[in-house]
Amino acid sequence: MSESEADLRAADGRVPGRRGRATRTRLLECTSEMLATTSFRELKVIDIAREANTSPATFYQYFPDVESAILVLAEEMADDTTELTGIVRDGTGTGPHARDAALALVDGFFGFWERYRSLLRVVELAGSEGDRRFGALRSRMLNPVTVALRDVMVEGRPDANDPMAMAGVLVAMLANVAAHRYGFEFWGIPTVASRSSMADLICWGVAGQPSPDRI
């Protein structure tokens, strides 16, 4: 049995067939859609089942509770960060295109957070409340991006004191500003200004120098 089949096991241990997989996918889709309009704490199995045109008993065939369904969605989201890692590794850390690469990374984080904003709120909340499953997932999600940024930094700035620490700080900055982007705008800091400032800081951190168009 493949790993993907094992992940799809129903509560009774059976691997669902085509119709069962379609039902499971529909339940996950409804869970994701409802997270955008319903508080995580108020989301109930009966509501998800009703939205998916099925029964709570069917939901429980695939997931023991709402949190487990959300965790599956979060794991799929974590796999999607390969795009962010690719942006880092494909970019140029130093030279005339360094700022373009930094801006591309900022835009990648903004796009990722916009795409998964409701799900990321749950990951942050559950993780902060001590749910180790979600806490570990956040680390798994951001660690590859951090390692990729460290590697670019080591290549472009071999004299860096602690490249992993710098990469971790920069990734934390990107994640938190992306998460609170609309709060910044409420405080009078437009996204275009946040975007430019983060690109400057990335250039400083990766290359140890101002971004080329600031010199």
Side-chain angles (χ1 to χ4, degrees):
M1 181 184 298
S2 70
E3 182 180 356
S4 60
E5 287 178 330
D7 291 341
L8 290 173
R9 279 185 182 275
D12 60 6
R14 293 181 299 171
V15 177
R18 181 179 59 82
R19 289 183 62 184
R21 293 189 185 203
T23 299
R24 180 181 184 275
T25 297
R26 179 59 183 156
L27 287 166
L28 288 172
E29 289 174 346
C30 290
T31 302
S32 178
E33 292 167 1
M34 295 181 74
L35 279 175
T37 58
T38 306
S39 167
F40 161 53
R41 297 303 183 197
E42 296 176 357
L43 190 58
K44 306 299 182 185
V45 168
I46 190 172
D47 298 323
I48 298 171
R50 184 184 298 115
E51 186 71 16
N53 294 316
T54 188
S55 67
T58 299
F59 180 98
Y60 287 121
Q61 287 182 6
Y62 302 98
F63 312 105
D65 49 40
V66 173
E67 288 84 355
S68 296
I70 294 174
L71 189 63
V72 171
L73 291 169
E75 288 171 345
E76 294 175 352
M77 173 188 69
D79 291 337
D80 200 25
T81 56
T82 53
E83 180 181 342
L84 296 176
T85 304
I87 292 173
V88 174
R89 296 199 181 278
D90 294 341
T92 303
T94 60
H97 300 295
R99 184 170 173 78
D100 290 338
L103 287 170
L105 181 57
V106 172
D107 291 341
F109 267 82
F110 276 150
F112 184 85
W113 250 258
E114 197 63 33
R115 189 158 61 249
Y116 294 111
R117 185 168 296 278
S118 58
L119 187 55
L120 283 161
R121 280 199 299 265
V122 178
V123 171
E124 291 290 344
L125 175 61
S128 67
E129 291 181 345
D131 190 319
R132 294 182 178 180
R133 299 172 301 171
F134 287 97
L137 190 67
R138 190 179 192 280
S139 297
R140 176 185 135 198
M141 179 177 71
L142 295 178
N143 188 64
V145 187
T146 304
V147 171
L149 193 58
R150 177 206 62 189
D151 293 345
V152 170
M153 195 180 308
V154 167
E155 181 178 347
R157 189 183 173 189
D159 62 337
N161 182 36
D162 192 334
M164 189 63 178
M166 177 62 76
V169 168
L170 291 174
V171 169
M173 170 193 72
L174 286 161
N176 280 283
V177 175
H180 299 288
R181 157 186 189 181
Y182 298 115
F184 273 57
E185 291 183 347
F186 180 78
W187 300 332
I189 305 172
T191 294
V192 65
S194 299
R195 177 177 181 264
S196 180
S197 295
M198 285 194 290
D200 286 343
L201 291 171
I202 292 170
C203 288
W204 268 108
V206 173
Q209 62 186 30
S211 56
D213 66 348
R214 298 288 200 250
I215 300 176

